[in-house]
Amino acid sequence: MPQSAEKVLDHAPLFREPEYTDMLARKKTEFECMPADAKVQEISDWTKSWEYREKNLARNALVVNPAKACQPLGAVFAAAGFEKTMSFVHGSQGCVAYYRSHLSRHFKEPSSAVSSSMTEDAAVFGGLNNMIDGLANTYSLYQPKMIAVSTTCMAEVIGDDLHSFIENSRKKNSIPEDFSVPFAHTPAFVGSHVDGYDNMMKGILESFWKGKTRAPGAQINIIPGFDGFVVGNNRELKRILELMGVDYKILSDAADQYDTPADGEFRMYDGGTRIEDIEPALNAKATISLQQWCTRKTLDYCQESGQDTASFHYPLGVGATDELLMKISELSGKEIPAEIEKERGRLIDAMADSQAHLHGKKYAIYGDPDFVYAMARFVMETGGEPTHCLATNGTAKWDEQMKELLASSPFGAKAQVWAGKDLWHLRSLLATEPTDFIIGSSYAKYLERDLGIPLIRLTFPIFDRHHHHRFPVWGYQGGLRVLTTLLDKVFDVLDRETINPGVTDFSYDLTR
Amino acid sequence: MSLDYKNDGARMEELITEVLTAYPEKFSKRRKKHLNVAKGTEEMGDEGRPLTECDVKSNIKSVPGVMTIRGCAYAGSKGVVWGPIKDMVHISHGPVGCGQYSWSQRRNYYIGKTGIDTFVTMQFTSDFQERDIVFGGDKKLEKVIDEINGLFPLARGISIQSECPIGLIGDDIEAVSKKKAKESGKTIVPVRCEGFRGVSQSLGHHLANDAVRDWVFDNKGAATQTDLSGFVASPYDVNVIGDYNIGGDAWASRILLEEIGLRVVGNWSGDATLAEIERAPKAKLNLIHCYRSMNYICRHMEEKYGVAWMEYNFFGPSQIEASLRKIAKHFGPAIEEKAETVIAKYKPLVDAVKAKYAPRLTGKKVMLYVGGLRPRHVITAYEDLGMEIVGTGYEFAHGDDYQRTGHYVKEGTLIYDDVTGYELEKFIEKIRPDLVGSGIKEKYPVQKMGIPFRQMHSWDYSGPYHGYDGFAIFARDMDLAINNPVWGLMKAPWKKSEPAPTLAAAE
């Protein structure tokens, strides 16, 4: 009997005890009818071949292990960045359970959103009544300052008209006449969560700006984009902007919403862009997007509204931070303070200290388009080579952007860009052209297992490591943290490979 | 151990009245039918009689806009029933999200080379685009199936898990399945589990059960099945039905069933192969753990193949013991004798676990809100440790589940069906139990309130909780949740008005 009260064995050691391994071996031989081990090995080897790679890359219908989610997730995230705002997703209810779970698993935080719970009758007759009833309930129970409506694919397929439904709900007194209910159609079968973010942001701005006259001022609006590191990043961003003395507003700031304290009280809402700050944001001199691929429509709208616009690709690393700061300085007329310049110097100092350990390291990088761009750029700044750059939600235009970036540095000469590919493609790519490291999300732990390539978790979603998102990766301080993360993995791998006493431990060095 | 306690029913009634005031009137009335307090029955305690009546409305549509915790039919079919069958590829057919959010989240443990001969922790999707909605997705589905067969040759079959758009755009996935099964010789199973069907996960379970009946047992696709001609039946063949092997639950159960002399020829559906599904009608008895999600197929197997079925409960020693005896009785004296030996063998472990943990847990009050069977099945396991259940409820139960719940809960227990985020938060705030057992969406709000929490869907990344081996882990987990020092740190000392609760020191 393997289990004991003295030392309670968890599943991992418990099922390695002979009682269980024998039992499972019997199950396999007697009842499972699984293929022979030799056959499994043969197929396993084949899946790592060039032949398989070609076959795998040729598929054009099946998607396996994609690194993207659907639009409403981005919409829920964008809405979470506004003060006391409840996301109301119109359509089937299971979707909302999924978005909430997905966000909670990453942030280790509550994630509140409601559904209009449409069922078969609503599929036939439309979801108007679900909207009318739903808004009334959400308003009474959760007392939001704003309800942000997005859609599941069910509501999109049957063609529910959000604008008229919401106006109808007002007439039926579900919500007060002047209560803010911005909305966005967020079909799951178009684009990905980054587009859902874009649509919701545009929907919110439109609902406050439409028909208003702009009185240009000095403020700079900043839209961060969909970001699993929002907690650390937005706080770092605010620190920098305050040091510079810039007149700014962040549009959608979910940093506090996804980082509420444990002090005996559950805060359904915390922080966020104040509702009264949304309308005056129309008067801003400029709107800056920190992630171009999350804000294509929104920035067009800002431009049409008369603002200057600029967009970046996730300000991670030296050059990316330099550019952002210079742009903000240019737009605001504020100098970049000496203190920040010193921080830059410290990051460069750290990179110089460690350059020998990162120079020439090869990486596979995947994630959202802007993240991959930023990460590849920073890796090149450290002398590393971004061998495979993959974004499942990357477009042909992103592919071009990436190639331009990679052509700008000798460290990008051998890089390959994979727009629209998934992590099963990446498996083939890495099996045939391996790298030293993978940079991505938790999903790549299966690639780490199958191919033995260490994974560095630096982008959403991170389910199996805790609290990384609470620390920034943006700015020079963030760069320092990313640098340290890369180095920790390099050194851990080196130690693991040299830890064998009397065999490899001559390289198990105390000082590195 | 049969704990004797009662909850304060009058206070619970007050709480119900209080939370209902927050709703607009129409919905206050609707929600009222889902909330109740367990009433004592006249024959309380008699053999086989329920202890209480848990009379609530259930299995009806959720109220829009209230933050229901429920999922959908797709979650019930792909996430629960089909997803764990390890040597099949399960296509999330439609847009990318459903498959993405449910990818690797249910901890259905299995043995296999993932991506080669098993596929559970992978996300296969047809990733619908606008053109698929406009022109229909059947052609794409055919291509998806061909590509799976080309790239994953050891997959024994494919299931097609419909997402919302499939049923709305009029695709004929059944025709595609038949065509492709014929061409490839593999089992292909279409499931009409679109998320808008039904009112919760529950219809998805039912549809998934029906798909097993039609497309595996009755072989509508007419593909060549696993050759079972070499199978030699024994009088002690059983299937375990409705154990999804969360954190290894089914393994911790199987070991006991084998020890009492039974042969588990199929486990549905945790760590299952298609062969285990196909072979099931040849067994002598179906042992059903999660009644809610798989009673349909048990009834069918009884009717069509004459396989009897029996419910059992492997949470906590009291129920394990009773279940082992009940199961053994079905097979006669030889097995009954072995069952007694097994019970005796594990007695020292049970006693040691209780001796270690019960003093740290006795009298602690627990609120539960989970899915299929757990809102009732785990109750006795808590009571075995001296803990008391003050409230329980189900996401997607039917009337027969609440009827069964009466056999478990004590008088005065708060009962909530399809509870809303608002209600659950208020109930917890007012009752302030010592532990809440629910899901990921509930975990963080509850913990911020300063109340210990365990996820009771995923076992909070622990488990198994089934069987004797699992009971030790269960007890350890409840102890570490409740007796962690963090709960005493919530209030800043300069704000502290009352002393922190006394905690048992960690051992």
Side-chain angles (χ1 to χ4, degrees):
Chain A
M1 184 161 41
Q3 191 60 287
S4 80
E6 188 77 10
K7 172 103 186 76
V8 176
L9 293 184
D10 266 316
H11 46 86
L14 179 68
F15 296 135
R16 288 200 296 263
E17 291 288 325
E19 285 91 335
Y20 280 101
T21 52
D22 291 354
M23 179 186 86
L24 292 170
R26 276 199 310 279
K27 177 175 187 284
K28 185 177 173 190
T29 46
E30 291 174 36
F31 304 114
E32 291 192 342
C33 305
M34 292 283 275
D37 290 349
K39 185 73 192 168
V40 174
Q41 191 55 52
E42 179 198 322
I43 298 295
S44 176
D45 294 343
W46 174 62
T47 64
K48 294 175 183 173
S49 67
W50 277 91
E51 182 201 341
Y52 188 89
R53 167 176 163 151
E54 295 310 320
K55 201 174 160 72
N56 191 8
L57 286 170
R59 73 180 141 92
N60 57 21
L62 172 69
V63 172
V64 187
N65 298 353
K68 67 170 180 181
C70 66
Q71 279 211 41
L73 183 83
V76 167
F77 180 89
F82 290 88
E83 179 197 7
K84 289 198 82 177
T85 296
M86 180 60 80
S87 261
F88 181 107
V89 192
H90 184 54
S92 300
Q93 70 192 14
C95 314
V96 174
Y98 279 144
Y99 317 139
R100 295 180 62 206
S101 302
H102 203 68
L103 292 166
S104 281
R105 286 178 178 130
H106 170 81
F107 288 112
K108 315 295 177 201
E109 287 289 321
S111 174
S112 298
V114 298
S115 165
S116 64
S117 296
M118 285 165 69
T119 51
E120 254 162 316
D121 52 346
V124 178
F125 302 111
L128 175 60
N129 288 332
N130 298 67
M131 178 74 78
I132 293 172
D133 293 347
L135 288 177
N137 282 319
T138 304
Y139 183 77
S140 317
L141 290 182
Y142 301 111
Q143 299 173 356
K145 273 198 166 176
M146 177 162 95
I147 297 176
V149 178
S150 51
T151 47
T152 78
C153 57
M154 178 217 186
E156 286 302 314
V157 172
I158 65 172
D160 275 3
D161 177 354
L162 293 182
H163 180 70
S164 83
F165 282 17
I166 293 165
E167 289 318 305
N168 255 304
S169 304
R170 283 190 209 282
K171 283 187 200 123
K172 300 264 182 188
N173 297 318
S174 292
I175 39 169
E177 195 55 41
D178 59 350
F179 186 77
S180 295
V181 187
F183 65 90
H185 289 275
T186 50
F189 44 81
V190 176
S192 72
H193 58 288
V194 299
D195 302 286
Y197 181 97
D198 193 9
N199 286 329
M200 193 74 245
M201 278 305 300
K202 185 178 175 220
I204 290 172
L205 297 185
E206 254 185 331
S207 80
F208 285 86
W209 293 1
K210 212 171 184 177
K212 303 287 188 317
T213 313
R214 192 173 113 85
Q219 181 181 305
I220 296 170
N221 299 329
I222 297 181
I223 304 177
F226 187 97
D227 182 15
F229 281 70
V230 61
V231 173
N233 280 344
N234 282 14
R235 288 180 187 157
E236 176 62 10
L237 180 68
K238 286 180 273 192
R239 188 186 68 87
I240 292 170
L241 293 166
E242 267 143 40
L243 274 174
M244 288 178 75
V246 176
D247 175 9
Y248 75 96
K249 283 284 175 308
I250 293 180
L251 302 180
S252 182
D253 177 8
D256 291 350
Q257 181 65 37
Y258 290 121
D259 192 24
T260 60
D263 58 2
E265 181 196 347
F266 161 49
R267 296 161 177 80
M268 183 167 273
Y269 311 103
D270 201 11
T273 307
R274 294 190 310 169
I275 304 300
E276 59 262 40
D277 288 340
I278 307 174
E279 193 187 313
L282 171 63
N283 301 326
K285 177 181 166 64
T287 295
I288 294 179
S289 163
L290 301 191
Q291 296 192 68
Q292 188 211 339
W293 292 100
C294 291
T295 50
R296 285 176 293 170
K297 288 183 188 167
T298 306
L299 272 204
D300 284 350
Y301 178 65
C302 292
Q303 203 165 25
E304 284 160 26
S305 304
Q307 299 168 352
D308 288 343
T309 59
S311 63
F312 296 85
H313 298 293
Y314 208 77
L316 178 159
V318 182
T321 305
D322 291 347
E323 280 169 17
L324 175 66
L325 295 182
M326 288 192 292
K327 187 73 192 180
I328 291 172
S329 173
E330 177 202 318
L331 287 168
S332 65
K334 303 281 183 185
E335 294 287 315
I336 299 168
E339 196 173 336
I340 292 180
E341 201 176 314
K342 241 181 164 178
E343 284 177 11
R344 184 183 191 280
R346 291 182 191 124
L347 170 61
I348 306 305
D349 182 59
M351 288 166 69
D353 295 345
S354 313
Q355 54 85 16
H357 297 280
L358 295 176
H359 192 102
K361 290 282 183 291
K362 290 182 167 59
Y363 301 84
I365 302 167
Y366 77 87
D368 286 343
D370 294 295
F371 171 78
V372 176
Y373 188 99
M375 202 63 233
R377 189 175 180 187
F378 183 55
V379 155
M380 293 196 294
E381 287 174 339
T382 67
E385 296 172 19
T387 307
H388 300 290
C389 300
L390 181 147
T392 307
N393 49 358
T395 62
K397 184 81 185 59
W398 173 78
D399 185 282
E400 273 174 41
Q401 260 178 11
M402 284 301 300
K403 283 179 176 149
E404 206 175 298
L405 168 73
L406 295 163
S408 71
S409 160
F411 296 92
K414 282 179 257 167
Q416 300 174 73
V417 182
W418 304 98
K421 298 300 180 193
D422 56 43
L423 300 186
W424 192 255
H425 290 123
L426 187 56
R427 186 178 185 275
S428 282
L429 299 171
L430 288 171
T432 46
E433 294 176 277
T435 58
D436 297 307
F437 299 97
I438 303 168
I439 297 177
S441 63
S442 289
Y443 292 127
K445 76 185 296 174
Y446 300 126
L447 295 174
E448 183 175 34
R449 174 192 61 193
D450 288 1
L451 304 166
I453 301 174
L455 167 64
I456 303 169
R457 292 161 178 83
L458 276 166
T459 196
F460 179 90
I462 299 174
F463 295 137
D464 62 340
R465 296 292 184 275
H466 294 190
H467 311 310
H468 290 195
H469 67 274
R470 299 185 203 263
F471 303 94
V473 298
W474 283 354
Y476 304 124
Q477 297 284 31
L480 198 53
R481 180 268 170 96
V482 175
L483 180 78
T484 312
T485 307
L486 298 182
L487 286 164
D488 276 351
K489 190 61 89 174
V490 168
F491 292 131
D492 283 348
V493 167
L494 200 50
D495 279 348
R496 204 176 60 221
E497 284 171 355
T498 56
I499 205 164
N500 202 354
V503 182
T504 57
D505 65 342
F506 44 80
S507 298
Y508 190 68
D509 292 327
L510 182 63
T511 307
R512 295 200 193 274
Chain B
M1 190 196 299
S2 179
L3 270 191
D4 197 18
Y5 63 92
K6 247 193 215 183
N7 291 303
D8 184 351
R11 164 118 176 81
M12 299 298 188
E13 298 275 9
E14 278 169 28
L15 280 181
I16 292 173
T17 312
E18 209 178 313
V19 299
L20 289 171
T21 57
Y23 288 90
E25 200 189 336
K26 176 176 162 193
F27 299 103
S28 164
K29 278 186 189 152
R30 262 170 72 179
R31 283 301 308 156
K32 189 171 195 280
K33 298 173 186 162
H34 297 265
L35 306 173
N36 211 341
V37 177
K39 308 281 185 306
T41 59
E42 282 176 21
E43 301 89 348
M44 247 175 83
D46 281 10
E47 189 73 24
R49 294 271 181 184
L51 302 167
T52 54
E53 265 177 38
C54 303
D55 185 23
V56 289
K57 285 267 185 238
S58 59
N59 195 33
I60 49 182
K61 273 194 275 188
S62 301
V63 176
V66 296
M67 211 178 306
T68 173
I69 291 157
R70 281 175 169 177
C72 63
Y74 163 89
S77 177
K78 186 266 186 179
V80 176
V81 176
W82 280 98
I85 299 174
K86 65 181 176 178
D87 58 349
M88 292 178 77
V89 166
H90 308 289
I91 305 168
S92 293
H93 187 39
V96 69
C98 317
Q100 200 71 5
Y101 308 128
S102 55
W103 176 9
S104 273
Q105 293 301 347
R106 229 169 156 260
R107 304 190 65 240
N108 310 108
Y109 281 2
Y110 62 100
I111 306 277
K113 289 260 167 61
T114 303
I116 312 300
D117 63 356
T118 48
F119 311 93
V120 180
T121 50
M122 295 175 72
Q123 131 78 328
F124 292 84
T125 175
S126 47
D127 189 19
F128 262 34
Q129 301 300 306
E130 199 148 25
R131 63 179 176 273
D132 303 313
I133 302 288
V134 177
F135 300 111
D138 286 341
K139 282 268 167 331
K140 186 175 205 178
L141 179 59
E142 288 194 24
K143 200 133 203 297
V144 164
I145 292 170
D146 290 344
E147 288 176 352
I148 289 171
N149 287 333
L151 290 165
F152 304 95
L154 298 184
R156 279 280 152 83
I158 293 170
S159 80
I160 299 153
Q161 305 291 328
S162 302
E163 301 172 6
C164 288
I166 306 308
L168 298 170
I169 61 176
D171 276 10
D172 190 351
I173 59 171
E174 290 79 9
V176 173
S177 299
K178 281 183 185 163
K179 180 179 167 193
K180 287 291 151 187
K182 208 169 164 196
E183 275 176 29
S184 67
K186 293 194 179 184
T187 298
I188 300 186
V189 181
V191 192
R192 287 286 184 177
C193 55
E194 290 89 344
F196 61 83
R197 293 194 199 279
V199 302
S200 67
Q201 293 91 314
S202 185
L203 187 67
H205 306 140
H206 198 153
L207 293 164
N209 278 226
D210 289 353
V212 172
R213 179 193 65 202
D214 296 344
W215 297 85
V216 180
F217 290 173
D218 296 352
N219 195 11
K220 262 197 194 170
T224 317
Q225 308 288 295
T226 315
D227 181 13
L228 298 171
S229 57
F231 177 75
V232 183
S234 96
Y236 302 114
D237 291 354
V238 298
N239 296 307
V240 168
I241 307 283
D243 189 328
Y244 303 104
N245 206 29
I246 313 278
D249 278 344
W251 296 335
S253 303
R254 183 186 193 96
I255 203 164
L256 296 177
L257 295 170
E258 286 192 359
E259 277 187 85
I260 66 168
L262 301 181
R263 206 166 77 128
V264 183
V265 299
N267 192 90
W268 287 33
S269 55
D271 191 36
T273 59
L274 180 57
E276 293 179 58
I277 307 299
E278 292 170 339
R279 188 192 299 114
K282 295 180 183 289
K284 299 290 181 291
L285 179 69
N286 280 326
L287 292 170
I288 182 164
H289 210 244
C290 182
Y291 170 85
R292 181 71 275 130
S293 59
M294 284 206 181
N295 76 84
Y296 318 99
I297 200 71
C298 289
R299 293 174 197 279
H300 173 73
M301 280 196 258
E302 181 176 45
E303 203 173 294
K304 184 156 180 193
Y305 307 102
V307 185
W309 56 280
M310 179 188 284
E311 291 176 64
Y312 73 108
N313 180 349
F314 267 8
F315 286 108
S318 301
Q319 292 291 342
I320 297 172
E321 204 170 291
S323 292
L324 285 176
R325 290 196 172 116
K326 189 167 82 165
I327 295 164
K329 202 169 171 198
H330 182 87
F331 291 96
I335 300 292
E336 282 184 286
E337 200 175 306
K338 282 192 189 172
E340 291 307 323
T341 313
V342 170
I343 292 167
K345 174 187 160 185
Y346 285 96
K347 183 102 189 352
L349 172 67
V350 169
D351 290 345
V353 168
K354 282 189 191 173
K356 181 172 177 184
Y357 293 108
R360 306 160 66 82
L361 297 171
T362 295
K364 300 287 185 196
K365 297 194 180 339
V366 184
M367 280 176 74
L368 299 169
Y369 182 71
V370 215
L373 73 159
R374 292 163 181 173
R376 62 173 178 276
H377 260 46
V378 298
I379 288 176
T380 330
Y382 283 107
E383 290 175 349
D384 284 337
L385 296 166
M387 301 168 79
E388 299 174 10
I389 306 299
V390 290
T392 192
Y394 298 80
E395 281 183 36
F396 47 79
H398 299 206
D400 51 358
D401 291 297
Y402 284 104
Q403 209 180 351
R404 284 166 166 75
T405 309
H407 290 269
Y408 286 94
V409 299
K410 301 286 195 281
E411 194 180 337
T413 306
L414 185 61
I415 307 291
Y416 26 86
D417 177 73
D418 184 21
V419 80
T420 69
Y422 178 83
E423 291 162 9
L424 190 62
E425 186 196 330
K426 290 296 162 208
F427 288 149
I428 292 169
E429 198 178 279
K430 302 285 179 185
I431 295 171
R432 287 205 73 87
D434 300 294
L435 179 73
V436 175
S438 191
I440 183 72
K441 305 190 291 299
E442 296 71 62
K443 179 181 174 85
Y444 301 106
V446 172
Q447 291 189 166
K448 283 176 197 295
M449 290 157 78
I451 295 173
F453 187 97
R454 287 297 294 182
Q455 290 182 67
M456 293 299 281
H457 299 262
S458 67
W459 303 149
D460 229 315
Y461 321 119
S462 177
Y465 284 175
H466 289 180
Y468 288 114
D469 290 345
F471 177 64
I473 298 170
F474 172 82
R476 192 269 324 262
D477 286 355
M478 299 311 135
D479 174 47
L480 67 81
I482 290 176
N483 291 312
N484 187 280
V486 73
W487 312 115
L489 301 172
M490 293 259 157
K491 285 277 171 250
W494 55 91
K495 292 191 102 174
K496 206 172 273 182
S497 50
E498 46 196 85
T502 321
L503 295 163
E507 274 174 18

